[in-house]
Amino acid sequence: MNINPFGSTSIHVVQNHIKNQGPSANPSISQEALEKLEAAVREHRFDSFEPEEGCGIRPLEELDYNPFSKPELSTVFTNSQVSEKAQELSLLMDERDIAVHSQVGFGLTYDRDKLAQHFGEVGRQIDEAFSAGEISQQEYDDLNAGLNKYTEAVTSRAERSNALMAVLRNTQKMRDKLMARGASQEEIEAFSKWHRETLEDRIQEYIKTSCGIDRDLLVKLIQQVREGKDLIQPKARQASSGENLAGFFESSPAPLAPEESQESE
């Protein structure tokens, strides 16, 4: 049985389902696995999970939240001699999730304008350093190339993160409907298999149809910020991008699993 950490409500549903099987039942999820799963949900460390043999759970995709891990800098300098200012600016383009969160703000989803504001502010600092003669032409070119790479890496990840949250929310609704009508163990296992096998395709489809970020528009917005215009005011930047999650999820289309689509016909 594949379990996906959508929230504590779903965990309690699964726990109740196992209890209702009776003392003779042989559930495929142990209490230890459920506790580990609940801890992962609280820490937002998930993409999808499935039980291992025994009692553990195995993350299929897990973000790195180690603040002491080595920076993943986007900029590669052409020359071996690099000024202190250029090095300082390159540190603003660290592709690690925890570094991006610290710059853009923590949240389950990413807003396009917040991203453009962040990328534009980095570009603005690069421009100002070059105008002040603090970095060379080559360093300026290298930093701009790094900014382009950083922008694409973070934007692509943001699209996937936004799509993932919507798809998982939709899947939760489908699972809840199955559980509410008293689905059999076989039906639940079939649903979990469908979810596991189609998850990546549904994420990519959602990016394509609902949450893809227009790269041409993004470039224009970044340039506006570099030129001095602010898309996000300082107070708004502090707000978590997760504040409007309910509206984001409610507005997303919920694809039906094979079993559910047959019922509705």
Side-chain angles (χ1 to χ4, degrees):
M1 179 179 172
N2 186 59
I3 298 296
N4 296 279
F6 308 118
S8 58
T9 301
S10 292
I11 292 173
H12 293 316
V13 169
V14 175
Q15 287 175 324
N16 291 334
H17 176 73
I18 291 173
K19 289 176 184 175
N20 292 336
Q21 300 288 311
S24 62
N26 182 26
S28 56
I29 299 295
S30 70
Q31 182 61 36
E32 182 181 349
L34 287 168
E35 289 172 358
K36 289 182 180 179
L37 183 57
E38 190 169 7
V41 172
R42 284 197 303 269
E43 297 169 21
H44 297 148
R45 297 182 298 104
F46 65 88
D47 189 281
S48 180
F49 288 81
E50 67 179 358
E52 284 185 79
E53 279 187 34
C55 63
I57 55 175
R58 178 173 66 87
L60 300 181
E61 180 173 314
E62 188 168 341
L63 301 178
D64 178 12
Y65 282 85
N66 178 9
F68 304 108
S69 61
K70 185 179 178 182
E72 297 175 15
L73 303 182
S74 299
T75 302
V76 176
F77 289 105
T78 305
N79 299 324
S80 57
Q81 297 296 320
V82 181
S83 68
E84 186 176 335
K85 185 62 177 181
Q87 291 179 27
E88 177 188 319
L89 291 168
S90 72
L91 292 173
L92 298 175
M93 295 172 280
D94 184 346
E95 296 178 18
R96 291 176 303 159
D97 288 288
I98 193 165
V100 175
H101 288 325
S102 69
Q103 297 277 355
V104 182
F106 286 86
L108 295 180
T109 61
Y110 291 91
D111 177 81
R112 181 202 63 198
D113 287 357
K114 276 191 175 184
L115 290 174
Q117 182 73 36
H118 169 54
F119 301 143
E121 286 177 348
V122 173
R124 190 190 297 175
Q125 292 185 57
I126 294 172
D127 294 340
E128 290 173 350
F130 181 63
S131 297
E134 297 177 288
I135 58 176
S136 68
Q137 178 68 56
Q138 188 59 60
E139 290 172 334
Y140 180 73
D141 293 341
D142 290 343
L143 286 165
N144 275 306
L147 180 55
N148 290 337
K149 179 178 181 296
Y150 177 72
T151 297
E152 181 55 36
V154 174
T155 302
S156 296
R157 193 183 306 155
E159 288 176 327
R160 179 178 171 79
S161 177
N162 291 348
L164 169 64
M165 293 308 302
V167 168
L168 290 181
R169 175 67 180 228
N170 292 336
T171 305
Q172 179 188 12
K173 292 177 181 178
M174 291 185 281
R175 184 190 295 275
D176 288 348
K177 284 180 68 176
L178 280 174
M179 301 294 279
R181 69 172 175 78
S184 67
Q185 181 71 16
E186 289 74 21
E187 287 177 299
I188 294 170
E189 289 176 354
F191 176 84
S192 296
K193 183 174 183 290
W194 169 84
H195 168 62
R196 183 172 62 253
E197 292 177 349
T198 64
L199 177 61
E200 185 59 35
D201 289 340
R202 285 181 287 139
I203 289 172
Q204 294 304 321
E205 181 63 21
Y206 195 88
I207 292 173
K208 211 181 294 182
T209 61
S210 303
C211 72
I213 296 175
D214 186 321
R215 296 301 193 272
D216 291 336
L217 177 57
L218 184 64
V219 168
K220 291 177 182 176
L221 293 174
I222 292 170
Q223 187 57 39
Q224 288 178 13
V225 176
R226 292 184 78 152
E227 293 172 356
K229 177 182 178 181
D230 284 329
L231 304 173
I232 306 293
Q233 297 306 311
K235 206 171 207 180
R237 292 177 214 177
Q238 297 173 5
S240 168
S241 56
E243 286 179 350
N244 297 318
L245 281 179
F248 175 82
F249 287 135
E250 290 303 323
S251 63
S252 61
L256 294 178
E259 297 85 349
E260 293 294 304
S261 59
Q262 289 173 7
E263 277 190 5
S264 61
E265 291 175 357

